Amino acid sequence: MFENGFAQRDPLKLQSQGSICGVIGGYLPSFCQCQDRANYESLVSCGVDLFGYDTVTVVMDIAPCASRAYVDLSVHDSKFGVKYDIGKVAAGTDEDFDIPGLSIDIPGVPVSAGVVVDVKVDGNIDNLELQVGVDACAQIPVWGKECGSDLTSELPVWLLDTTFNFGNTCSGFQQKKLPSA
């Protein structure tokens, strides 16, 4: 039933669910919480454990029903006092975001690795790919930039990594937006 901490369900069959969390909830890891909001958006908060060194909170405001779907992201860390707003990442984006001031020490290596959030939002209401993961990258002498995802299957820590169909869910939002005749 679970693989890599994710419930195995068919996202294209979940389109009849009446809420955004109803569609994505089964694909979130156990350390994430989802709350539906107004305007057919959802607020997802995930406490990501970075190998016992630190826990960072990634907050995602997911808006698949917007005229151009987006995920508004921020990263919070109380240990280092970091609150970094990545901002809105719209459909058609595939980018890695370095989080300034947030790094973890690598045992046995004389460098620290900066926390990076990998984000891909692509497609449309009926076929929306959402990928959000937490990775760590470092400048290694001689090798250059290396990320944990290049070295281990444990990174990135995926918060979302699925293609969803929000067609029926968003149709209710689209109908509410239309002026009455």
Side-chain angles (χ1 to χ4, degrees):
M1 177 162 180
F2 288 90
E3 182 179 311
N4 297 329
F6 294 92
Q8 296 300 299
R9 297 164 57 186
D10 184 351
L12 299 179
K13 291 181 181 175
L14 290 175
Q15 63 178 324
S16 62
Q17 299 283 339
S19 72
I20 305 304
C21 289
V23 175
I24 68 172
Y27 296 91
L28 293 169
S30 60
F31 52 85
C32 294
Q33 294 79 41
C34 187
Q35 178 182 11
D36 285 312
R37 300 176 67 177
N39 297 326
Y40 288 77
E41 295 179 13
S42 66
L43 185 67
V44 176
S45 179
C46 303
V48 182
D49 178 8
L50 297 176
F51 302 106
Y53 295 106
D54 194 9
T55 299
V56 299
T57 301
V58 177
V59 178
M60 301 176 277
D61 183 359
I62 302 172
C65 303
S67 58
R68 185 171 175 199
Y70 67 85
V71 177
D72 193 349
L73 289 149
S74 62
V75 177
H76 308 260
D77 181 89
S78 57
K79 182 176 181 179
F80 296 104
V82 173
K83 180 178 188 249
Y84 183 73
D85 291 320
I86 294 171
K88 289 183 180 180
V89 180
T93 304
D94 185 356
E95 192 170 343
D96 299 338
F97 297 92
D98 295 328
I99 309 303
L102 191 52
S103 62
I104 56 173
D105 292 328
I106 303 171
V109 180
V111 297
S112 60
V115 174
V116 175
V117 177
D118 302 332
V119 183
K120 182 176 183 181
V121 181
D122 198 27
N124 59 38
I125 288 173
D126 296 317
N127 194 34
L128 187 64
E129 182 178 6
L130 297 175
Q131 291 183 334
V132 179
V134 177
D135 203 349
C137 300
Q139 284 293 342
I140 309 291
V142 182
W143 285 310
K145 183 176 181 179
E146 290 288 330
C147 294
S149 56
D150 299 324
L151 307 171
T152 177
S153 61
E154 293 183 48
L155 290 171
V157 176
W158 289 112
L159 310 179
L160 279 172
D161 185 15
T162 305
T163 300
F164 297 98
N165 182 336
F166 293 103
N168 286 346
T169 301
C170 291
S171 68
F173 176 65
Q174 300 299 332
Q175 289 171 1
K176 282 186 175 185
K177 283 177 49 177
L178 294 173
S180 57

